[in-house]
Amino acid sequence: MKSETAGGPASGRAFLTHTALLFKIAWRNIWLHRGKSLIIGIILLTGTVVMTVGNATITGMDKGLQKTLVDGLLGDLMVIAQSTDEAWALLGNMGKSADLIPDFEKVRDVVTNDPGIMKFLPMDFGMFMAVIQADSASGQPPFVVPLGVQYERYLEMFSNVAIVKGRGLRPGESGILLHHTTADRLFKTYGSIFSPVDDPYAFTNYLPPEAGSNLASVIISTDLIIVGISDKKATLDIRVPIIGIYSNQRIEFGGQGFDLIDIQSYRQGMNYTLGDEEVKLSASENAMLNMDENALFASFSENVSGAGAVLGDVKSLMVKKPAVKAVDYDRGGTEILALRLKDRRQAEEVRGRLTKAFKEKNLKAKVIDWRKAAGTLANMASVIRIALFVFVGFVFFVAGIVIVNTLAMATMERSSELGMMRAVGAQRGFLGEMLLTETFLLAVFFGGIGMVVGAVIVKILAAAQIQSTPGLLVLVFGGNVFNPLMGLKDFVQGGILLTLVTLLSVIYPARLAQSITPLDAVSRD
Amino acid sequence: MSNPILHLSGVTKDYWLGKVKVPALRGIDLEIGKGEFMSIKGPSGSGKTTLLNIIGLIDNATGGSVLLDGKDVTRETDKNMTRLRLTKIGFIFQTFNLIPVFNVIENVEFPLLLLKDRTPAERRRKTMELIDAVGLRPYVHHRPNELSGGQRQRVAIARALVTDPEIILADEPTANLDSVTGKSILEAMKEMNERRQTTFIFSTHDAGVLQYARRIVEIHDGLLTSRG
Ligand SMILES: Nc1ncnc2c1ncn2[C@@H]1O[C@H](COP(=O)(O)OP(=O)(O)OP(=O)(O)O)[C@@H](O)[C@H]1O
Ligand SMILES: [Mg+2]
């Protein structure tokens, strides 16, 4: 017996010889049993295509969702009060409001000093109840869910407002932009048309279909009286003119949207600090705010026709002027500080820095990412991905079973031949390696084709520029067009999964093959 | 015998059919020398196959010892047994001798590939030498299913000899062949034995085949009745 040399060219050659032999046998057997091979191959191919396309779809969705939300409302990061409920999210959990950020000025200073921050925007977001003369029999309280922002800065950061009627807020102006769904909802429930104060007759351009027949009886309101809903603090009634009606170009789903209000009005309504001092109301103002509702409505909600002047008077009388001179908007009560980063990819580092700085300065603020801020909405992609994994897992499970069965049967059928190989001098492991090589070749070949086919399908889908239908899909597509994405990561993942399936499904047949003894070469029958 | 290549002493083999013991070999003592051309003869069920399997390290004896080249191989590991089969023993089976997806060259070369330490040139030379020796040069690219039974057995002989083993075992190598072809196979084996001094041990029922043997060992009911 020649001794086997360790290392060196001899062992290198031995390895090559061995591998070449395995591949040759495997390849020839695949070809000989091409029917079975094809069945296994097609199953592997199908699994891989489903996996590739599914993954790309979900990755594209997730990226789209991120882009939509980060660009459209949330910013890259958000700072909120530490005491804010864990379950709080700007989206998908509209009932809960965030706590005020304590020591907001100091928090703001930390943020402004961070080199990674490009822009920031204080926001307040919560529920208000509208004080409306309820004509309608519907018992639902008229809620509005306004986002309080400094409008011009909001536009700079999230350019997603399309004015449907009226106009946007001017700097320093107090007022509300109703989301068109809010306007519709209020009309449906209360029978009043809420119209912009500058252009109350424009409603005819935007008249809910229900109003069509009896225009004469329609009540037009150009402002709203709303009162903040808070379980922490006494809140105040405020009267805000309706400046416009808008639709959000990015974040509209499930027929819902939020209204935009100037942040100072929001702060007043929630009884927050305004950025200069606590608002002190005069006795008459207090009296007016505490008037009983019917009296209040008698003076406010009137048929607009011919009442323009009266309206102006009432307004000057009633609406507390919120915009105090020299207000520092970045000082007043703030629940949310949305951050836009210079480089989106550094979100985690910036977050770490800010968290550390808040801790060092003993500030009770925390930083959340867009995913957390988006609440249940952000999990949508994850949920769909899990569903896909379950499906792909199932496909591969079936594939595995078929492979195990086919290989096990083939092994049994070939036991004489395999036994002869053992008798002639093939080691026990050789038979297992033969099977593994066979399956491996099938997996590489058909899995490879599957990935290429998947990639082509993804390319075609991307090139097809599939338009989304309005609503949820726009949000998910991250725009109007479906854009599946596939990266190297998906290929690697696919490869790993395929390898795993191959290895797992070869274990049993390989063990079976290794249990074949040289005696099987000679056993009769 | 001065220097036997194989030495069996007290070899027994029991099979179990459920709880019933079937003693296939009941104490075999046998010495086989280098270069012998020996046949094992006996009625059906007498233990010929069992004995050949034990000699060929395909099966383990229940008792007794087998010395190969003076070394006791009775309790070797599976790995070592396999290595011994590869390097020292050649097999010619009755059927299923060849790898169906390999042609003649590849089948003959197969043990050399398992040996791993030969260069491609060495392998090719040795393979072709043996294919020539069994007269199959025109058929080198045929697969087993494209060969006659006799041609297949010739491939098996070439394959068995390719690693220059010391012993070649053949359990009824001609059982599936007609008598003319059977004789030509025996001629081929005998020629190899004479040219290379390789020990051949074969079993047969066939009197026509038996006449080629230089030594005949007889077995009855698991016991040797004649050592030739
Ligand atoms: N795997 C087995 N299990 C149980 N009994 C066996 C087994 N193999 C052989 N035997 C028994 O051992 C005895 C010897 O069998 P063996 O095959 O060695 O006989 P043989 O001389 O080769 O017969 P034949 O000429 O028919 O080939 C027989 O009684 C047989 O039934
Ligand atoms: Mg027999």
Side-chain angles (χ1 to χ4, degrees):
Chain A
M1 194 193 302
K2 286 200 179 175
S3 68
E4 287 182 46
T5 32
S11 82
R13 186 173 65 222
F15 175 77
L16 277 182
T17 310
H18 186 73
T19 313
L21 176 63
L22 283 173
F23 272 85
K24 185 152 91 175
I25 299 179
W27 168 243
R28 299 266 181 94
N29 274 318
I30 287 173
W31 188 244
L32 183 70
H33 307 286
R34 36 191 182 278
K36 278 177 201 158
S37 305
L38 201 66
I39 291 170
I40 294 180
I42 285 172
I43 289 169
L44 285 173
L45 190 139
T46 311
T48 320
V49 169
V50 170
M51 179 179 69
T52 313
V53 175
N55 242 335
T57 305
I58 290 165
T59 306
M61 272 177 52
D62 201 39
K63 280 263 150 37
L65 191 67
Q66 176 177 7
K67 194 169 154 35
T68 310
L69 293 178
V70 167
D71 292 347
L73 178 64
L74 302 176
D76 297 296
L77 294 171
M78 281 188 159
V79 180
I80 55 173
Q82 218 160 57
S83 58
T84 294
D85 194 308
E86 256 309 301
W88 178 86
L90 191 61
L91 295 171
N93 201 359
M94 295 224 176
K96 273 201 167 66
S97 59
D99 291 342
L100 276 176
I101 301 174
D103 295 319
F104 176 63
E105 278 171 74
K106 289 181 194 161
V107 168
R108 182 199 64 193
D109 288 343
V110 169
V111 167
T112 21
N113 287 333
D114 190 281
I117 308 281
M118 186 164 79
K119 272 182 217 160
F120 65 93
L121 178 70
M123 307 199 295
D124 289 319
F125 190 55
M127 284 248 248
F128 280 69
M129 197 165 69
V131 184
I132 290 174
Q133 192 174 30
D135 278 358
S136 148
S138 140
Q140 280 182 13
F143 289 111
V144 287
V145 191
L147 180 74
V149 286
Q150 215 181 324
Y151 184 68
E152 64 278 14
R153 273 167 82 192
Y154 175 78
L155 285 189
E156 243 175 68
M157 201 139 149
F158 308 114
S159 54
N160 56 12
V161 173
I163 298 289
V164 177
K165 195 163 95 168
R167 57 174 171 80
L169 289 164
R170 293 182 181 127
E173 184 178 33
S174 73
I176 191 165
L177 289 184
L178 290 181
H179 189 264
H180 67 95
T181 56
T182 309
D184 288 350
R185 182 164 46 87
L186 292 178
F187 174 78
K188 273 181 206 154
T189 326
Y190 303 102
S192 301
I193 290 179
F194 292 84
S195 208
V197 68
D198 282 358
D199 189 10
Y201 301 105
F203 71 83
T204 45
N205 300 332
Y206 191 74
L207 198 61
E210 291 87 339
S213 54
N214 56 343
L215 269 184
S217 69
V218 165
I219 299 170
I220 296 178
S221 305
T222 55
D223 49 26
L224 273 175
I225 297 172
I226 54 175
V227 56
I229 299 176
S230 167
D231 52 3
K232 288 162 193 115
K233 229 174 173 182
T235 57
L236 299 172
D237 294 7
I238 53 163
R239 179 178 176 199
V240 282
I242 296 165
I243 306 297
I245 290 174
Y246 86 105
S247 73
N248 191 309
Q249 289 176 307
R250 295 190 213 240
I251 305 173
E252 275 191 31
F253 55 97
Q256 285 213 322
F258 48 86
D259 311 302
L260 285 170
I261 193 170
D262 72 286
I263 192 163
Q264 294 302 78
S265 296
Y266 184 104
R267 285 167 176 164
Q268 277 179 352
M270 281 293 180
N271 202 2
Y272 290 167
T273 55
L274 290 178
D276 51 352
E277 55 188 70
E278 285 285 349
V279 180
K280 303 236 164 38
L281 300 176
S282 68
S284 67
E285 281 171 329
N286 263 323
M288 222 170 279
L289 283 161
N290 294 331
M291 253 162 88
D292 95 280
E293 285 180 11
N294 286 334
L296 207 62
F297 267 102
S299 40
F300 284 41
S301 304
E302 40 201 291
N303 196 316
V304 174
S305 52
V310 181
L311 206 71
D313 288 353
V314 172
K315 220 185 306 162
S316 64
L317 182 73
M318 293 292 295
V319 176
K320 203 161 37 55
K321 285 268 179 285
V324 183
K325 278 161 244 76
V327 169
D328 184 350
Y329 288 100
D330 298 347
R331 266 182 61 208
T334 301
E335 299 164 3
I336 306 157
L337 191 58
L339 307 181
R340 165 84 68 234
L341 302 184
K342 288 177 184 152
D343 182 354
R344 183 157 293 172
R345 286 163 301 183
Q346 310 224 305
E348 269 316 296
E349 287 134 70
V350 174
R351 186 181 175 180
R353 275 205 301 271
L354 293 179
T355 306
K356 194 162 155 258
F358 291 155
K359 200 168 179 178
E360 275 167 10
K361 298 200 160 61
N362 200 22
L363 294 169
K364 302 273 178 279
K366 63 183 172 189
V367 188
I368 59 174
D369 61 12
W370 72 273
R371 234 175 246 285
K372 179 88 180 77
T376 47
L377 202 56
N379 297 332
M380 198 165 55
S382 315
V383 169
I384 298 177
R385 194 182 290 273
I386 289 169
L388 175 86
F389 273 3
V390 170
F391 181 65
V392 169
F394 178 74
V395 170
F396 275 122
F397 179 73
V398 173
I401 302 259
V402 175
I403 295 174
V404 168
N405 249 300
T406 314
L407 289 181
M409 270 164 57
T411 305
M412 296 318 286
E413 277 166 21
R414 281 158 63 189
S415 66
S416 290
E417 178 194 338
L418 297 175
M420 179 270 293
M421 288 173 146
R422 290 282 280 125
V424 165
Q427 290 289 354
R428 188 194 293 270
F430 186 84
L431 305 187
E433 288 168 21
M434 262 171 58
L435 277 189
L436 187 62
T437 313
E438 231 175 281
T439 321
F440 172 77
L441 276 180
L442 285 177
V444 167
F445 183 72
F446 286 98
I449 294 181
M451 282 200 204
V452 171
V453 169
V456 169
I457 292 177
V458 168
K459 275 266 174 292
I460 291 173
L461 282 179
Q465 301 272 304
I466 297 171
Q467 300 287 318
S468 63
T469 49
L472 190 60
L473 280 180
V474 180
L475 185 71
V476 165
F477 284 11
N480 292 320
V481 174
F482 176 50
N483 188 26
L485 272 180
M486 196 160 64
L488 190 66
K489 201 178 112 223
D490 298 300
F491 275 107
V492 173
Q493 253 178 20
I496 290 174
L497 194 61
L498 208 58
T499 311
L500 214 69
V501 172
T502 311
L503 286 179
L504 283 178
S505 47
V506 120
I507 290 176
Y508 173 70
R511 292 189 72 143
L512 208 61
Q514 297 194 2
S515 72
I516 287 174
T517 69
L519 264 179
D520 288 303
V522 290
S523 57
R524 51 211 106 199
D525 75 3
Chain B
M1 205 171 292
S2 58
N3 212 355
I5 184 149
L6 259 175
H7 189 131
L8 281 68
S9 48
V11 168
T12 61
K13 177 71 184 180
D14 299 327
Y15 289 111
W16 289 92
L17 285 176
K19 292 204 153 99
V20 185
K21 185 161 97 174
V22 184
L25 300 177
R26 299 188 291 162
I28 305 281
D29 300 306
L30 182 65
E31 286 189 348
I32 301 165
K34 199 168 171 51
E36 284 203 43
F37 199 73
M38 188 189 104
S39 179
I40 299 173
K41 174 191 167 192
S44 187
S46 55
K48 301 184 293 294
T49 298
T50 308
L51 181 58
L52 278 171
N53 288 348
I54 287 172
I55 294 173
L57 309 185
I58 275 181
D59 204 356
N60 291 311
T62 308
S65 67
V66 179
L67 302 188
L68 179 61
D69 259 348
K71 190 168 168 274
D72 191 344
V73 293
T74 335
R75 316 253 172 271
E76 280 293 353
T77 61
D78 177 75
K79 194 171 180 200
N80 288 341
M81 291 260 210
T82 307
R83 185 78 196 172
L84 287 170
R85 286 198 300 272
L86 176 60
T87 53
K88 301 213 166 187
I89 302 167
F91 289 93
I92 303 163
F93 299 112
Q94 201 176 306
T95 49
F96 295 122
N97 255 311
L98 306 174
I99 299 171
V101 294
F102 278 3
N103 64 24
V104 169
I105 298 182
E106 289 161 336
N107 264 293
V108 174
E109 191 189 20
F110 181 65
L112 293 179
L113 287 167
L114 292 177
L115 270 178
K116 294 181 191 173
D117 57 359
R118 309 293 164 88
T119 65
E122 281 170 348
R123 289 201 304 263
R124 194 40 60 111
R125 188 184 53 74
K126 190 79 191 171
T127 305
M128 289 320 291
E129 175 196 319
L130 282 156
I131 289 173
D132 282 338
V134 294
L136 284 180
R137 171 64 71 137
Y139 302 94
V140 285
H141 294 299
H142 288 228
R143 295 246 178 120
N145 61 353
E146 298 158 348
L147 295 170
S148 72
Q151 286 167 332
R152 281 182 222 173
Q153 290 308 70
R154 283 168 191 275
V155 180
I157 294 171
R159 201 251 335 262
L161 281 160
V162 81
T163 56
D164 291 318
E166 298 179 46
I167 310 162
I168 288 186
L169 301 167
D171 191 10
E172 306 192 39
T174 61
N176 283 6
L177 306 174
D178 64 79
S179 62
V180 179
T181 316
K183 277 182 185 160
S184 82
I185 291 299
L186 260 293
E187 297 278 3
M189 282 167 55
K190 185 140 197 162
E191 196 190 327
M192 294 298 166
N193 165 259
E194 279 160 10
R195 244 203 269 168
R196 296 162 180 273
Q197 288 303 297
T198 312
T199 307
F200 275 79
I201 307 169
F202 57 94
S203 71
T204 186
H205 281 122
D206 187 346
V209 166
L210 217 49
Q211 72 191 28
Y212 286 88
R214 258 188 274 124
R215 178 185 176 194
I216 297 174
V217 165
E218 285 192 45
I219 185 167
H220 283 273
D221 256 349
L223 283 170
L224 292 187
T225 50
S226 156
R227 289 186 174 73

